[in-house]
Amino acid sequence: MKALRLFSSAAVALLAFVLVVSAQTQAPPSGWPVFWYKGIVTNKAASIYNPTNEFIFPSVFHAGRWLKNPLAEWYIYYAPHDDPGGISLRYSNSLEGPWTEYPKNPVISRNWSPHYSVPHVSSPDAIWNLEANNGNGRMIMYFHGSNSVTRWAYSDDGIKFGYGGVAVTNAMGGPSVTETSYARVFRHPDTNSRYNYGMFYMGNERDNIRRIRLAESVDGKTWTVSPNYVVAPGPEEGANVSGGELWNWGGQHYIIYHGSSGKAYARTIDRTLRQVGKTPIVLFAGRGDPSGDRVAAPVVVTRNGQTYLFYEKGDRLGGTIAWAKMAAQ
Ligand SMILES: *[C@@H]1O[C@H](CO)[C@@H](O)[C@H](O)[C@H]1NC(C)=O
């Protein structure tokens, strides 16, 4: 009897252990978007600026809301990953495309005299900064170049940029940081914070594990890096996580990002950006895309009741910009 009880409690403990170890993702809450792959934004064969036949890191900007005479309602920025990179622009009146390539890409290149000359610039992220330009507002574009520094530039039309400066560097993350790139910037969700802007970016370290870090800023130009990680990869994600972005769904904030597993994930995050869910929820793993391609660098845009996911599809050095749409529920 005693032996049996001992055995069964051991079995229960083993079962609990198995459940914990296999529960690497958690089920999404009700009302979670079910995205279906719809197509490619950047047709490589027809591209004017296409130095390396690969494009990464979409950033969707609502030009019609913020700019005086935009080329179209929506802008999407992206860039090649490899040298020479180059921040590139397409535009469309519809989030469903088709997207027209700006004929004189790149709008920001790897040489910008006298500010820098680097092997590549990539990972654009454009936001509208309300306080800039004496409160009249201005686009601020974040991008890395090269991998050890994320910079910012500013623009009134999204095409011609003035150089701003350095936003975050390896040194700001501490002595073991070796890369500071793939930043996305958003309005700080904590109204009690003294900061107006938050940034998630990827920090690589000497252990060659890529984690997502947090920086905060009053003006979007001068940044303070938080010493703690926001997301470090777990068994689900693999060796690297990157492409962090803030997203609100159903009144809950999430950090959305991608892992080495080739999927995009979401974890809950509180408005201080410091309490992060331990178990990821799958955001998108390529449903409807028969290629089985990797999903990375997710951004979600909701407009007029329709919700879209823009992302980088394909292996890291053969990527292209793609979109998916949430099915009606
Ligand atoms: C982690 O990221 C680096 C750089 O993108 C890549 O070379 C490496 O293969 C990645 N590791 C895994 C396990 O995916």
Side-chain angles (χ1 to χ4, degrees), residues 195-213:
Y195 296 114
N196 294 316
Y197 294 92
M199 171 195 285
F200 295 140
Y201 70 95
M202 186 200 82
N204 189 24
E205 298 194 10
R206 295 221 175 102
D207 60 9
N208 211 30
I209 295 178
R210 289 165 177 79
R211 301 170 176 89
I212 296 171
R213 306 194 57 143

Side-chain angles (χ1 to χ4, degrees), residues 275-326:
Q275 302 295 322
V276 185
K278 294 267 179 293
T279 312
I281 302 167
V282 174
L283 179 71
F284 188 59
R287 182 186 283 104
D289 177 3
S291 71
D293 272 349
R294 165 182 180 270
V295 172
V299 279
V300 179
V301 183
T302 296
R303 187 73 190 156
N304 298 330
Q306 309 291 311
T307 297
Y308 301 91
L309 176 76
F310 293 86
Y311 66 102
E312 169 190 326
K313 157 182 152 70
D315 62 73
R316 207 170 51 81
L317 303 182
T320 195
I321 308 304
W323 65 289
K325 189 176 179 185
M326 177 185 167

Side-chain angles (χ1 to χ4, degrees), residues 169-171 173-180 201-206 213:
T169 63
N170 287 352
S176 56
V177 176
T178 61
E179 293 171 14
T180 299
Y201 70 95
M202 186 200 82
N204 189 24
E205 298 194 10
R206 295 221 175 102
R213 306 194 57 143

Side-chain angles (χ1 to χ4, degrees), residues 227-270:
N228 299 320
Y229 306 123
V230 185
V231 177
E236 169 64 25
E237 292 99 338
N240 303 314
V241 289
S242 183
E245 161 80 317
L246 187 71
W247 176 53
N248 188 292
W249 188 255
Q252 168 71 53
H253 292 297
Y254 296 89
I255 176 171
I256 59 174
Y257 62 98
H258 69 262
S260 296
S261 57
K263 299 177 188 174
Y265 300 100
R267 294 193 194 202
T268 56
I269 191 165
D270 77 330

Side-chain angles (χ1 to χ4, degrees), residues 8 35 76 127 183 193 282:
S8 59
F35 290 108
I76 190 165
I127 64 152
S193 169
V282 174

